[in-house]
Amino acid sequence: MASRNRVNGAAAEVKQIGRPPKLGQNFLTDRGTAEKVVAALGDMSRETVVEIGPGKGALTSLLAAGAGKLIAIELDRVLAAQLRMKYAPRAKVEIIEGDILKIDLSTVLGPRPGALAGLAPAPPRKVQVIGNIPYYITSDILLRLFSYCAHFDKIVIMVQKEVADRIAAKPGGKEYGLLSATAQLYANVEKLFTVPPEAFAPPPKVDSAVLRLTVAPQFERLNVPEREFIDFLKLGFGQKRKTLVNNLKPGYGAEPVKAALKKAGMRADSRSETLPLEKAAAVFRMLQGKEVS
Ligand code: SAM
């Protein structure tokens, strides 16, 4: 399992606009939007769903009605207590007061002590994740989820629109960067719809967008080791204005990088934002000396 540190270079990419409210608390008030966000998970009647930051429960009530089991993780003590009281009679709803960036999700999602403890466990089903998440820690949350990616198969999140555009960006445009490459290494990313500030109270200063990430780690397909390849991407995307050769030469030397780019069919003055993951993997493998032909 990847540690969070392996990928957290991407976190530095998200710039904040304005000063966010305490804990990013812009609560969704538009019922139609809440229904659309929850519908993006598809049929969840037999699934376990983890909600990040349930807040005042705009998504939670729909999830509690529709999911096979709901685990909601809220950092704000008062909001968590209110939700716990509200859902106390519902055995399939669990409210956890905790920090999504610190909580051990393997423990939360793993087998619990109880009547069946000691029996051979069935292989755990993958769970779904959903959240209108605090925007100021979007990258940290995503990277945290990726570090537990073996547990998840679908992640639906509402984020700042500008950040959604970057997470979903394809190589070649100016929005493509380390955050896009990292997200797309772990998941197929779909940008579903945008949401205006008026759908929230208080309204955020930015538009929002909903993403669906279908978890599908690409390391095997690309034939690259997870940690080393992410370190390589961090170096390659190090400084956006520099060419790949200039970014990568402290690690590999300029001439080997130029030769690898040429073999991969890329120009010597290519920049990281033009590099598709497949080409990045080919260059990486050549520089590791594993594919020199
Ligand atoms: N889901 C609710 C909604 O749609 O109205 C609330 C969304 S609000 C944008 C983000 C929520 O995440 C807040 O309730 C906030 O207290 C909670 N939160 C902030 N940081 C958190 C963290 N590190 N772990 C868990 N919850 C967090």
Side-chain angles (χ1 to χ4, degrees), residues 3-281:
S3 82
R4 193 176 145 226
N5 287 338
R6 285 184 196 166
V7 284
N8 70 3
E13 285 208 353
V14 175
K15 291 185 203 85
Q16 294 309 315
I17 299 176
R19 192 158 159 241
K22 177 197 154 208
L23 297 180
Q25 290 180 340
N26 299 99
F27 298 108
L28 191 58
T29 49
D30 183 74
R31 168 95 184 176
T33 303
E35 286 171 352
K36 265 172 86 177
V37 176
V38 171
L41 275 183
D43 179 11
M44 54 181 160
S45 55
R46 297 183 59 235
E47 310 293 336
T48 295
V49 177
V50 172
E51 185 186 3
I52 301 171
K56 294 185 178 173
L59 305 178
T60 319
S61 56
L62 300 168
L63 296 166
K69 178 173 169 53
L70 174 64
I71 301 171
I73 302 171
E74 171 59 58
L75 182 58
D76 185 305
R77 174 162 294 181
V78 174
L79 294 176
Q82 285 168 350
L83 288 168
R84 208 176 292 122
M85 271 167 61
K86 178 172 177 187
Y87 289 105
R90 305 280 297 276
K92 68 171 195 170
V93 179
E94 184 178 358
I95 308 293
I96 297 178
E97 182 194 325
D99 183 341
I100 188 65
L101 299 179
K102 293 192 181 141
I103 206 160
D104 179 0
L105 291 170
S106 303
T107 308
V108 170
L109 301 172
R112 309 284 180 90
L116 298 179
L119 296 181
R125 263 172 86 92
K126 294 197 175 186
V127 308
Q128 324 274 317
V129 180
I130 193 164
N132 167 22
I133 62 178
Y135 294 173
Y136 70 105
I137 48 171
T138 297
S139 300
D140 291 319
I141 290 177
L142 266 185
L143 301 176
R144 178 86 177 158
L145 295 177
F146 292 150
S147 73
Y148 286 95
C149 65
H151 288 286
F152 305 128
D153 66 3
K154 220 182 279 171
I155 300 170
V156 170
I157 45 167
M158 176 131 62
V159 301
Q160 183 178 324
K161 180 182 170 296
E162 184 206 28
V163 177
D165 289 340
R166 291 181 20 220
I167 293 170
K170 294 290 169 217
K174 64 177 169 41
E175 283 160 339
Y176 189 77
L178 183 58
L179 186 60
S180 340
T182 308
Q184 291 165 37
L185 257 180
Y186 284 93
N188 296 320
V189 179
E190 297 167 88
K191 191 174 149 209
L192 300 181
F193 54 91
T194 55
V195 182
E198 307 81 73
F200 304 85
K205 292 191 170 67
V206 293
D207 282 333
S208 304
V210 175
L211 293 173
R212 177 167 52 210
L213 284 75
T214 305
V215 176
Q218 298 293 306
F219 302 99
E220 230 177 279
R221 180 181 74 81
L222 295 171
N223 189 19
V224 289
E226 182 175 357
R227 190 189 61 210
E228 290 83 351
F229 187 56
I230 287 172
D231 287 344
F232 170 80
L233 290 179
K234 282 188 202 167
L235 193 62
F237 282 98
Q239 293 205 30
K240 270 204 123 180
R241 259 170 281 158
K242 284 190 178 178
T243 62
L244 268 165
V245 172
N246 282 335
N247 275 331
L248 290 173
K249 74 180 177 193
Y252 300 94
E255 290 314 313
V257 177
K258 282 183 197 163
L261 284 174
K262 194 171 173 196
K263 280 185 198 150
M266 303 280 300
R267 291 166 47 138
D269 61 354
S270 299
R271 289 173 194 279
S272 49
E273 66 264 27
T274 64
L275 194 65
L277 282 174
E278 291 73 13
K279 296 255 184 202

